[in-house]
Amino acid sequence: MTTPVKLAVVYYSSTGTITEIAKEIAQAAEKAGAEVRLVKAAELAPQAAIESNPAWAANRAATADVAEATAADIEWADAVIFGSPTRFGNIASQLKQFIDTLGGLWAQGKLADKVYSGFASSATTHGGQESTLLALYNSFHHFGGIIVAPGYTDPAKFVDGNPYGTSHVDAQGNNPVGDATRTAARIQAERVVKIATALKHGLTA
């Protein structure tokens, strides 16, 4: 019996959209046979800012039991899928801060040869989703990682239309995560698990 792929889903979410996508990816990966850790980047914003936005405060309370990501989660994983809302066409500072703590693993070569992928959300249509994913993927090149994007490998990808990774327009909370985004998340999770499995067992054969 082959050893299952170990997948870390590492995300930051303020108002909950990325949380929902992260859960969908984690569930789909588990169904595809992966061992999954779902973890979140630590919050950096002041409590006053969080409390000023009811959706932000609600998401923080709802995810209080989700463990905060550590470097050990990345070292453990064969594959990592990172998720972030867009921040001026880039990833959120909370997720960037976590990635910046991985220098020790990078220096030891322990970030290399893993599969990486990403997902994003924005408040507006074309609100920086693709540039956010491409910015995230820049780090993976430095890791020596293997980027596995969904591309248009499934006909359903022509519905959401983003070959770089799962993305969603939440329209300031007025557009909840629906079937198209959930399908895209499933396709991405299954593809990452498939390629990571092939690499894991091919390298150890």
Side-chain angles (χ1 to χ4, degrees):
M1 185 175 179
T2 58
T3 305
V5 159
K6 294 179 287 187
L7 171 68
V9 180
V10 182
Y11 75 94
Y12 172 73
S13 183
S14 53
T15 59
T17 298
I18 289 293
T19 299
E20 284 301 306
I21 300 172
K23 289 179 179 178
E24 193 72 29
I25 286 174
Q27 291 169 4
E30 286 181 339
K31 289 179 182 177
E35 181 181 351
V36 178
R37 289 186 186 178
L38 176 65
V39 292
K40 65 187 180 187
E43 182 59 81
L44 303 176
Q47 189 63 29
I50 296 168
E51 291 175 354
S52 71
N53 184 327
W56 195 350
N59 179 62
R60 184 163 172 78
T63 60
D65 61 339
V66 178
E68 290 187 354
T70 68
D73 294 315
I74 308 303
E75 185 173 5
W76 165 86
D78 300 306
V80 187
I81 305 179
F82 287 98
S84 175
T86 66
R87 293 291 186 266
F88 301 113
N90 212 320
I91 64 174
S93 58
Q94 289 87 343
L95 185 63
K96 183 61 165 61
Q97 169 68 16
F98 172 70
I99 291 173
D100 286 347
T101 69
L102 302 178
L105 291 182
W106 170 82
Q108 298 173 67
K110 291 183 176 180
L111 299 179
D113 301 331
K114 298 177 186 287
V115 165
Y116 295 94
S117 199
F119 58 101
S121 68
S122 63
T124 58
T125 303
H126 309 303
Q129 295 174 349
E130 292 181 356
S131 65
T132 295
L133 291 171
L134 290 171
L136 175 63
Y137 291 177
N138 284 337
S139 295
F140 305 159
H141 291 296
H142 286 259
F143 293 173
I146 299 157
I147 298 171
V148 175
Y152 296 107
T153 56
D154 186 291
K157 283 299 297 174
F158 289 96
V159 176
D160 75 278
N162 190 340
Y164 300 95
T166 302
S167 62
H168 183 76
V169 178
D170 81 338
Q172 301 287 0
N174 294 310
N175 183 32
V177 175
D179 290 343
T181 301
R182 293 184 189 282
T183 297
R186 175 185 56 77
I187 291 167
Q188 184 170 12
E190 290 174 351
R191 181 165 167 77
V192 166
V193 172
K194 175 184 175 181
I195 301 303
T197 299
L199 286 168
K200 180 173 184 174
H201 298 296
L203 289 171
T204 59

